[in-house]
Amino acid sequence: MVKTDIKLDFDEEEFLNKYENKIKQYIKNILSSNSINNNIFEFDIEDFLSSYPEICEINDIIIEQPTQIEGTIFYIFKDTYMELYGDDEKTSKELEKYQIAFKKPLGCDKKIDEINSADINKLVDFEGNIIKAAKVCALLKKACFVCRNCGNISYKTIHDYFTFPKRFCDNKNCGAEMSLDLNSSSYINIQELEIQQPIDIMKNPDDPPRSIRAFLENSDGIYSGRVDVVGTVMKKFTKPNMPVFEIYVKSNHIKLNESFQKIEVRDIISNTELMETMNELGKKKNIVEILSHYLIPQIKGYEMVKKSIFLQQIKGCTKFLPDGSQLRKDSHILLITDPGIGKSTMLRKIARLFPQNAYASVTTATGGGLTANVVRESTEIGDGWVVKPGVFVRANEGTACIDELTVERNIMKYILEAMESQTIHINKGGINVKLPTKCAVLAACNPKRGRFDSNLGVIEQINVPSPLLSRFDLIFPLKDIPDKKRDEEIAEHILNTHIETATKDYKLLSSVEIDGITVNEELIKNYIIYSRTCAYFEENHSLFRSDTVDEKKLKNPHLTKSAKKLIKNYYIDMRKLGEGDNPIPVTARQLEAAIRISEMHAKARLSKKVEEIDAKVAIGIIEECLNQVAYDPETGKYDIGKAMGQLPKSKMDKMDKIVDIIRELQALSDNKLAYEQDITEKAFEFGISEKEVEDALEKLKKSADIYSPKFGYYKVS
Ligand SMILES: Nc1ncnc2c1ncn2[C@@H]1O[C@H](COP(=O)(O)OP(=O)(O)OP(=O)(O)O)[C@@H](O)[C@H]1O
């Protein structure tokens, strides 16, 4: 008879009579075929019941009394282990470090906002996003007690973290209080987490999501991601001498959720009819335009922007270099919009499309809120330093929708790393960790002066430093220019949207028939997942059915010779325009953007190759962008500097000219200073207006190329 070290309120004798042999046989089978990781023996309830369906009631017993059953099963495990591998003192002591973790219990999955006091001491299974993670600490798990009176030694498993363990000698004629021998006790890793209800599984996504504190035993350190947790609901006094408790979850089985696409794709490839529908859709001409149009039905117009956003959701091809590093497949898009044209509506719509898509408005989030924060907060264990994943981390594998984007230089490097290498390194407060940010960025902001001015460079109109600006594949200025026809269309659209949402008689916002196929938001989402993961390559199906998807084996479309030729010729022709003293029209970044967008378009057509049509569309989108942000009306030429963060070359030339004028005037004057009036007059001879002189002097002072030792006078630095 085994004796657990916990006061039992269940009949262990009866439990063992009924189940011990089958549990022992199950453990023996597992031990002989698997190694034990991390000192955790995972008791897979679902797997156990598949071998012993006749005792399915054991699942409910475990759910109702997990702590007691964990103790009993541990001692059965210990007996079995020693039967198999020897029962010497050393093995017995070694085994003290082991733990039992329950996984895949049946019928106890809950949403975080459903976990309450009725679940105390019961097993629950829930999923959520890690919003806070403390550093890994050591927990006294198996306390060793020694009786100073009679020398008796005994062990006690610690389940309740918030009461320090005590023990009295269980020798008959002793009963003295035992003392804790910390050196002979055994410890395990423990990490405190805060896990939040995912919005996509909330009844009302607009409610504030609830979170719960979880203590993860045997943690290797997990700081972000969506996780499945199996644990026991515990209670902790909130205040001494008050019978009021806070609830938390103690767990030793947490699993990073499978990648979202994988779960969705598995549902899709098991639905032959759905796949046939989508393969039919993929064959339609202009399928990309059609689906892009219906992606954000509540916003009228901006078809090119919607197409780019639709393609961004599909993502480029998964490619690895020989050293295993991955080429960025995400396209980042920046919308610079006049007020009130619908950017927030677009971003929120995309953020709600998939669980991996996340929304943040920089006016509320700090820089760390975008990448990750390491802050000191009240924690139950550890020294208070916690990691709080930001929107780029929460959007891993999805899209980070960043509204009101403004970036101060001091946080730029973090965002640059997140967007380019798609990871962020954290090393603060004793926490040193790398978090994945494999997300596309869909950012939007208003121009500083309220309206976008095509004569000015982008960098002059928004608060985004140039190194960051050059990471965006596409920059679209959306201007609110009064236009009778367009205003009528938008007014009609907004009014109809309001009528439909009031009468619930959806037309604009509902599904649309395409050659007998009903296309609604659900189908578009499935289509995006189907094309993004290249599940239309049948040879990929086996990958998605396996436990882990080896992305290196994933089949992707690749550039055909004709597509490659088209992109290369476009790039070379554009570069020719920058020869001599002309501004540089495009750089290699636009070349890579063209490759990524071509791949997205090919996948959006469910094509197994990236063909000329895809390259043409990609070049068209990039040219549309360049026309709006890189075209310099003054010179009539493309100047990528105007778009990607430098001043237009025409403006730079004028500023250089003004510095030359100051230098000349300095040399001619007694006080070696150039008077502003003289600078303006001289500049006028070169066609530089007074306003341009004023702006240039301001910029030159800011960049310390010149300085003003006396009001109205300037000197070259
Ligand atoms: N082209 C459009 N089609 C349909 N609705 C539109 C359009 N433009 C604006 N709206 C409506 O106008 C309102 C303002 O939109 P939204 O808040 O997204 O604008 P915004 O660009 O974020 O404004 P701001 O830049 O000032 O924050 C929304 O209700 C939106 O539906």
Side-chain angles (χ1 to χ4, degrees):
M1 209 275 274
V2 287
K3 177 146 180 35
T4 58
D5 58 2
I6 305 158
K7 185 184 165 310
L8 301 176
D9 47 11
F10 85 111
D11 185 342
E12 186 181 51
E13 200 79 26
E14 183 194 352
F15 181 87
L16 291 167
N17 289 337
K18 273 183 162 181
Y19 310 119
E20 181 177 11
N21 294 336
K22 290 173 177 169
I23 292 173
K24 182 169 271 194
Q25 187 52 51
Y26 176 73
I27 291 175
K28 209 171 269 181
N29 296 343
I30 297 289
L31 285 178
S32 42
S33 55
N34 292 348
S35 61
I36 301 179
N37 299 325
N38 216 1
N39 293 340
I40 291 256
F41 177 80
E42 291 186 341
F43 190 85
D44 185 330
I45 297 169
E46 188 181 71
D47 182 43
F48 174 74
L49 292 183
S50 64
S51 313
Y52 302 99
E54 70 281 9
I55 55 170
C56 58
E57 74 279 3
I58 198 170
N59 175 70
D60 298 339
I61 297 171
I62 291 173
I63 290 172
E64 287 301 310
Q65 298 170 314
T67 305
Q68 293 84 338
I69 308 297
E70 186 185 315
T72 305
I73 291 181
F74 172 71
Y75 280 90
I76 298 175
F77 163 76
K78 205 174 155 184
D79 283 350
T80 312
Y81 191 94
M82 292 202 280
E83 269 178 34
L84 283 173
Y85 303 111
D87 61 353
D88 54 34
E89 183 59 25
K90 182 175 171 297
T91 310
S92 173
K93 198 151 173 45
E94 268 305 300
L95 277 171
E96 286 306 326
K97 292 198 177 82
Y98 281 75
Q99 270 193 285
I100 299 295
F102 291 122
K103 65 186 268 193
K104 294 187 189 169
L106 306 176
C108 68
D109 37 342
K110 290 200 164 228
K111 292 192 176 116
I112 290 177
D113 49 21
E114 294 166 347
I115 298 175
N116 56 44
S117 48
D119 300 308
I120 287 179
N121 295 329
K122 292 185 182 160
L123 200 67
V124 290
D125 180 358
F126 63 92
E127 71 172 312
N129 294 313
I130 293 175
I131 57 168
K132 215 188 279 183
K135 62 173 69 164
V136 178
C137 299
L139 168 76
L140 170 68
K141 187 61 186 171
K142 282 275 172 50
C144 173
F145 287 93
V146 178
C147 179
R148 301 292 175 214
N149 194 25
C150 68
N152 176 26
I153 292 177
S154 76
Y155 287 92
K156 174 182 174 54
T157 307
I158 306 297
H159 287 281
D160 178 353
Y161 309 138
F162 301 105
T163 42
F164 207 82
K166 265 187 174 178
R167 170 145 275 193
F168 290 89
C169 184
D170 51 9
N171 270 353
K172 286 192 199 59
N173 38 11
C174 182
E177 180 170 354
M178 303 175 86
S179 46
L180 179 59
D181 177 354
L182 288 175
N183 294 330
S184 308
S185 300
S186 59
Y187 300 82
I188 58 167
N189 283 351
I190 187 164
Q191 186 182 14
E192 182 175 346
L193 303 170
E194 185 150 348
I195 299 172
Q196 188 177 65
Q197 172 80 33
I199 292 189
D200 56 288
I201 55 175
M202 282 174 65
K203 291 186 196 79
N204 179 358
D206 295 330
D207 286 344
R210 217 190 109 196
S211 60
I212 193 165
R213 199 188 298 252
F215 293 91
L216 174 60
E217 297 185 359
N218 287 294
S219 166
D220 294 333
I222 180 169
Y223 294 91
S224 70
R226 186 163 171 152
V227 288
D228 277 321
V229 184
V230 175
T232 306
V233 179
M234 308 295 279
K235 64 184 185 299
K236 162 186 167 297
F237 276 113
T238 47
K239 289 193 180 71
N241 316 321
M242 279 182 71
V244 177
F245 300 89
E246 185 187 324
I247 57 176
Y248 64 91
V249 170
K250 169 177 81 75
S251 167
N252 52 21
H253 185 267
I254 194 168
K255 188 168 70 67
L256 259 180
N257 238 355
E258 290 176 304
S259 94
F260 163 71
Q261 280 82 306
K262 183 164 165 262
I263 301 168
E264 296 292 304
V265 138
R266 243 193 334 244
D267 296 344
I268 293 173
I269 56 181
S270 56
N271 183 337
T272 319
E273 193 188 333
L274 175 60
M275 269 204 302
E276 277 162 14
T277 304
M278 292 197 291
N279 290 334
E280 270 312 297
L281 270 182
K283 290 179 193 138
K284 300 238 170 297
K285 204 166 168 326
N286 301 336
I287 184 60
V288 175
E289 284 69 18
I290 295 167
L291 297 183
S292 318
H293 178 79
Y294 289 106
L295 184 64
I296 313 173
Q298 59 269 52
I299 293 294
K300 177 81 179 165
Y302 310 114
E303 296 309 319
M304 179 66 83
V305 174
K306 288 179 178 176
K307 183 179 352 183
S308 306
I309 292 174
F310 175 75
L311 293 174
Q312 180 188 49
Q313 290 304 302
I314 288 177
K315 297 180 184 277
C317 293
T318 312
K319 289 172 278 188
F320 292 88
L321 292 172
D323 67 3
S325 57
Q326 197 165 357
L327 290 182
R328 173 159 67 92
K329 65 181 179 184
D330 285 302
S331 229
H332 303 315
I333 299 176
L334 174 62
L335 308 179
I336 306 172
T337 73
D338 292 353
I341 64 110
K343 68 164 167 48
S344 304
T345 307
M346 286 190 216
L347 264 57
R348 288 180 186 282
K349 169 71 184 187
I350 297 303
R352 278 202 299 269
L353 215 51
F354 295 112
Q356 254 69 3
N357 290 0
Y359 174 89
S361 167
V362 179
T363 41
T364 52
T366 60
L370 290 179
T371 53
N373 262 324
V374 181
V375 293
R376 277 197 101 106
E377 292 209 351
S378 68
T379 54
E380 300 294 345
I381 54 176
D383 60 5
W385 285 108
V386 294
V387 174
K388 299 175 91 171
V391 67
F392 283 133
V393 179
R394 294 201 310 272
N396 187 43
E397 287 195 2
T399 305
C401 301
I402 316 286
D403 208 347
E404 320 297 345
L405 179 69
T406 55
V407 176
E408 302 309 330
R409 276 208 171 274
N410 62 330
I411 61 154
M412 181 192 70
K413 61 180 187 294
Y414 301 111
I415 298 181
L416 212 50
E417 186 191 11
M419 286 176 70
E420 195 50 47
S421 57
Q422 298 199 309
T423 53
I424 47 171
H425 289 81
I426 288 173
N427 187 356
K428 185 179 170 190
I431 296 175
N432 185 355
V433 67
K434 190 166 95 169
L435 299 177
T437 58
K438 281 200 174 65
C439 66
V441 176
L442 174 58
C445 61
N446 294 126
K448 282 182 213 166
R449 295 187 172 88
R451 295 210 172 281
F452 189 81
D453 179 347
S454 305
N455 295 311
L456 298 174
V458 170
I459 195 76
E460 303 172 271
Q461 306 187 63
I462 61 174
N463 189 7
V464 178
S466 59
L468 197 62
L469 212 49
S470 62
R471 264 46 182 193
F472 285 96
D473 282 2
L474 300 171
I475 298 176
F476 288 109
L478 304 184
K479 296 172 222 164
D480 182 18
I481 301 166
D483 167 284
K484 188 170 180 325
K485 182 173 174 300
R486 207 175 115 68
D487 294 344
E488 266 175 358
E489 284 169 358
I490 289 180
E492 179 71 14
H493 188 91
I494 293 174
L495 288 161
N496 290 338
T497 305
H498 282 260
I499 293 166
E500 287 186 21
T501 43
T503 59
K504 304 279 180 296
D505 170 21
Y506 298 123
K507 291 191 185 69
L508 277 178
L509 302 173
S510 73
S511 55
V512 64
E513 291 297 311
I514 300 173
D515 300 347
I517 297 175
T518 307
V519 175
N520 53 25
E521 180 173 303
E522 202 47 39
L523 186 69
I524 292 178
K525 284 164 66 170
N526 281 325
Y527 191 91
I528 290 174
I529 291 289
Y530 187 60
S531 51
R532 175 191 294 182
T533 55
C534 295
Y536 57 90
F537 283 81
E538 296 217 352
E539 48 272 57
N540 287 336
H541 289 188
S542 56
L543 282 175
F544 288 113
R545 291 198 182 100
S546 62
D547 273 351
T548 50
V549 180
D550 181 354
E551 285 202 84
K552 293 191 178 62
K553 292 186 183 135
L554 214 53
K555 277 265 184 204
N556 278 274
H558 60 275
L559 278 172
T560 53
K561 284 198 179 59
S562 55
K564 176 188 164 192
K565 186 162 172 276
L566 205 62
I567 294 173
K568 184 177 172 187
N569 291 346
Y570 165 72
Y571 178 69
I572 301 301
D573 294 348
M574 287 296 278
R575 289 289 290 183
K576 263 197 209 108
L577 299 176
E579 283 169 1
D581 194 26
N582 291 312
I584 308 287
V586 288
T587 66
R589 284 200 192 286
Q590 280 67 48
L591 177 64
E592 287 200 320
I595 296 168
R596 269 191 287 268
I597 299 169
S598 310
E599 291 170 347
M600 292 170 195
H601 193 267
K603 289 168 71 176
R605 296 187 302 115
L606 309 185
S607 166
K608 296 197 172 182
K609 287 185 194 140
V610 181
E611 298 170 294
E612 252 186 72
I613 172 69
D614 308 309
K616 276 196 187 115
V617 167
I619 290 168
I621 292 176
I622 289 174
E623 273 195 335
E624 173 67 21
C625 252
L626 293 177
N627 285 338
Q628 296 190 40
V629 290
Y631 182 72
D632 187 348
E634 209 157 302
T635 58
K637 292 177 180 147
Y638 284 121
D639 177 351
I640 198 64
K642 188 168 178 285
M644 291 299 163
Q646 289 84 39
L647 292 175
K649 191 175 178 310
S650 55
K651 186 151 282 190
M652 294 293 277
D653 293 350
K654 287 178 181 173
M655 286 173 73
D656 293 346
K657 190 65 205 162
I658 288 169
V659 172
D660 292 347
I661 291 170
I662 293 171
R663 200 174 277 117
E664 281 163 27
L665 292 172
Q666 269 177 236
L668 297 172
S669 72
D670 301 340
N671 61 8
K672 301 296 173 211
L673 294 176
Y675 184 47
E676 182 163 354
Q677 188 57 37
D678 301 342
I679 300 169
T680 307
E681 282 165 14
K682 188 78 181 161
F684 189 71
E685 294 166 19
F686 294 90
I688 301 173
S689 69
E690 186 171 352
K691 176 82 176 57
E692 285 172 318
V693 171
E694 274 168 27
D695 287 351
L697 290 174
E698 268 314 302
K699 279 188 183 54
L700 289 165
K701 264 198 309 188
K702 215 173 185 181
S703 57
D705 290 312
I706 62 172
Y707 65 99
S708 175
K710 203 164 91 177
F711 181 73
Y713 287 85
Y714 294 90
K715 196 174 172 69
V716 176
S717 306

